[in-house]
């Protein structure tokens, strides 16, 4: 049973498909689905996803190795599936600035291919991992879904295009789609080792290794950092909600609280017992200055509430990186 593509030809029915199943968010969803006893098919091309993220569940799911850019593969992977969580993407604003084509093909063409596969298979609902980067740098806080999008970076444009495709497939084909705009998610399994890693993961590993992190800009940029458990819960609620409340719509998923990067650095350093101040470097091209969500639409439509706040999320995240990266005590 070692062949990664085995699920494609067996005709096994999977109730849930998770794209990007070996990624940070995808693997967290797979874990929760398997725990609930669901039949799960996971898709990943392992470009940024990691096999070890599936260590605890790989024997209890169907793993398909494939790429969103392969339209035929998307038709095959959707066969027999009822519900799709579409988390697969080439993430990161700076990565998209450096190499826009790679993320363009995965995030826009890939999402389109998946939707075509889902339509052909008669999938009942798809929940899409959208991005808060859609709001860009326009005035007006907190961000509300009624604001016109104003993306800056290629990544932001791509994730927004994915949303629009999702909504269009609801409007013209009746495929129930829901767009969840995540605001800076962090937590266990977020890859810390790449220059494109999320800041919380990157700083955690750097502090554990005694390396001095660099803040890009003055550190006064604000983010609505959101712990992973909140995202998992939002996905399930959005998947289970009545279609008339959610289909074709966009929802912010966040905590509704803003922390600057300087504050975040301080909180993380305290938990890590890390004494060094940060280095400061130039701002990143495409970076959004401030980000803060109004989460009332998700609350009203499907009862979303943040389950784990910033501080508790940080504690859990630090504990995980310590455990995973072999540093049991900061002292
Ligand atoms: C964007 C989206 C987020 C998600 C993510 C996926 C916004 C507001 N957020 O996150 O919703 O889609 O993309 O990748 O658009 N930074 C440093 N030093 C480092 C690394 C990062 O200072 O070593 C800064 C970075 O310049 C930024 C902040 O930390 O101001 C957060 O960066 P990030 O890469 O974690 O996430 P961000 O905001 O680009």
């Amino acid at each position: 049973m070692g062949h990664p593509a085995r699920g494609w030809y067996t005709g096994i029915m999977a109730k849930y498909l998770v794209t990007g199943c070996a990624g940070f968010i995808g693997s967290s969803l797979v874990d929760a689905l398997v725990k609930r006893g669901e039949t799960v098919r996971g898709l990943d091309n392992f470009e940024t996803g990691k096999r070890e993220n599936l260590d605890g569940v790989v024997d209890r799911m169907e793993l398909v190795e494939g790429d969103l850019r392969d339209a035929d593969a998307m038709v095959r992977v959707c066969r027999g599936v009822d519900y799709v969580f579409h988390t697969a993407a080439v993430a990161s604003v700076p990565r998209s600035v450096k190499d826009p084509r790679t993320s363009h093909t995965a995030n826009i063409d890939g999402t389109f291919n998946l939707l075509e596969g889902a339509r052909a298979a008669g999938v009942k609902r798809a929940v899409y991992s959208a991005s808060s980067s859609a709001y860009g740098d326009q005035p007006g806080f907190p961000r509300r879904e009624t604001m016109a999008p104003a993306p800056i970076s290629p990544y932001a444009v791509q994730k927004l295009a994915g949303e629009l495709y999702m909504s269009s497939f609801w409007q013209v084909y009746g495929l129930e789609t829901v767009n969840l705009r995540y605001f800076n998610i962090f937590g266990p399994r977020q890859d810390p080792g790449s220059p494109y890693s999320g800041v919380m993961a990157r700083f955690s590993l750097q502090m554990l290794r005694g390396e001095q992190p660099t803040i890009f800009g003055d550190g006064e940029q604000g983010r609505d950092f959101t712990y992973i458990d909140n995202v998992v819960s939002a996905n399930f609620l959005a998947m289970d909600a009545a279609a008339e409340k959610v289909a074709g719509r966009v929802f912010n998923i966040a905590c509704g609280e803003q922390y600057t990067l300087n504050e975040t650095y301080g909180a993380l350093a305290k938990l890590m017992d890390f004494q060094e101040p940060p280095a400061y470097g130039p701002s990143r091209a495409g970076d959004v200055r401030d980000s803060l969500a109004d989460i009332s639409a998700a609350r009203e439509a499907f009862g979303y509430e943040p389950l784990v706040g910033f501080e508790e999320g940080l504690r859990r995240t630090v504990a995980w990186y310590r455990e995973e990266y072999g540093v049991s005590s900061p002292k």
Side-chain angles (χ1 to χ4, degrees):
M1 294 293 279
H3 194 277
R6 64 188 186 271
W8 289 4
Y9 309 106
T10 57
I12 294 170
M13 304 289 278
K15 198 169 172 194
Y16 289 91
L17 170 66
V18 179
T19 70
C21 67
F24 162 48
I25 295 171
S27 67
S28 304
L29 280 167
V30 170
D31 270 4
L33 285 166
V34 166
K35 214 180 208 170
R36 277 176 26 165
E38 303 291 357
T39 322
V40 184
R41 179 176 299 164
L43 171 80
D44 212 291
N45 66 355
F46 296 100
E47 217 170 271
T48 55
K50 292 179 172 173
R51 287 182 199 277
E52 57 262 35
N53 286 342
L54 297 171
D55 272 353
V57 289
V58 74
D59 295 338
R60 286 178 286 164
M61 65 180 289
E62 183 190 1
L63 177 60
V64 176
E65 193 163 343
D67 197 306
L68 288 174
R69 301 171 182 100
D70 179 345
D72 293 339
M74 291 311 99
V75 169
R76 290 195 297 270
V77 82
C78 286
R79 272 188 204 134
V81 167
D82 289 329
Y83 305 108
V84 178
F85 291 109
H86 180 32
T87 79
V90 176
S92 163
V93 168
R95 195 198 313 257
S96 79
V97 172
K98 183 146 192 277
D99 172 16
R101 188 174 300 277
T102 298
S103 49
H104 175 99
T105 53
N107 298 344
I108 301 185
D109 299 344
T111 296
F112 172 73
N113 289 338
L114 178 74
L115 277 167
E116 279 288 79
R119 181 162 78 97
V123 162
K124 293 177 183 150
R125 186 172 296 183
V127 176
Y128 173 66
S129 293
S131 168
S132 67
S133 58
Y135 292 108
D137 260 342
Q138 63 186 297
F141 292 95
R143 300 310 199 192
R144 293 201 175 84
E145 296 86 344
T146 47
M147 289 175 165
I152 301 171
S153 63
Y155 170 75
V157 170
Q158 294 156 11
K159 293 302 289 184
L160 177 64
E163 275 185 30
L164 296 172
Y165 258 131
M166 286 276 157
S167 298
S168 159
F169 270 57
W170 158 244
Q171 288 174 52
V172 301
Y173 305 121
L175 169 58
E176 292 175 16
T177 54
V178 191
N179 300 298
L180 302 183
R181 274 187 194 161
Y182 306 154
F183 283 63
N184 289 75
I185 312 309
F186 71 100
R189 289 200 192 135
Q190 189 169 30
D191 178 13
S194 141
Y196 304 122
S197 297
V199 70
M200 210 71 104
R202 199 150 187 238
F203 283 3
S204 298
L205 185 63
Q206 288 170 328
M207 287 180 187
L208 278 174
R209 289 184 170 162
E211 298 164 5
Q212 186 186 31
T214 298
I215 288 182
F216 301 132
D218 62 4
E220 288 305 298
Q221 62 266 52
R223 292 290 183 270
D224 195 336
F225 286 108
T226 305
Y227 189 68
I228 180 68
D229 287 19
N230 303 322
V231 169
V232 171
S233 143
N235 272 272
F236 285 150
L237 290 167
M239 191 61 95
D240 295 341
E244 58 271 24
K245 301 226 172 207
V246 296
R249 292 186 61 193
V250 176
F251 298 97
N252 292 338
I253 300 301
C255 283
E257 287 175 11
Q258 194 183 55
Y259 293 84
T260 68
L261 211 49
N262 287 323
E263 288 168 340
T264 304
Y265 184 97
L268 208 51
K270 196 167 167 212
L271 284 171
M272 293 276 189
D273 214 1
F274 184 80
Q275 312 293 345
E276 300 294 316
Y280 285 89
S283 298
R284 277 188 338 199
D287 221 31
V288 161
R289 179 68 184 178
D290 283 312
S291 181
L292 172 66
D294 180 327
I295 52 174
S296 53
R299 192 174 266 144
E300 277 155 32
F302 48 88
Y304 166 76
E305 289 295 340
L307 303 173
V308 179
F310 177 78
E311 301 270 347
E312 176 59 18
L314 267 192
R315 269 193 290 280
R316 293 189 195 182
T317 303
V318 165
W320 186 85
Y321 283 110
R322 280 213 177 107
E323 176 81 22
E324 196 67 15
Y325 289 87
V327 187
S328 56
S329 160
K331 302 199 172 150

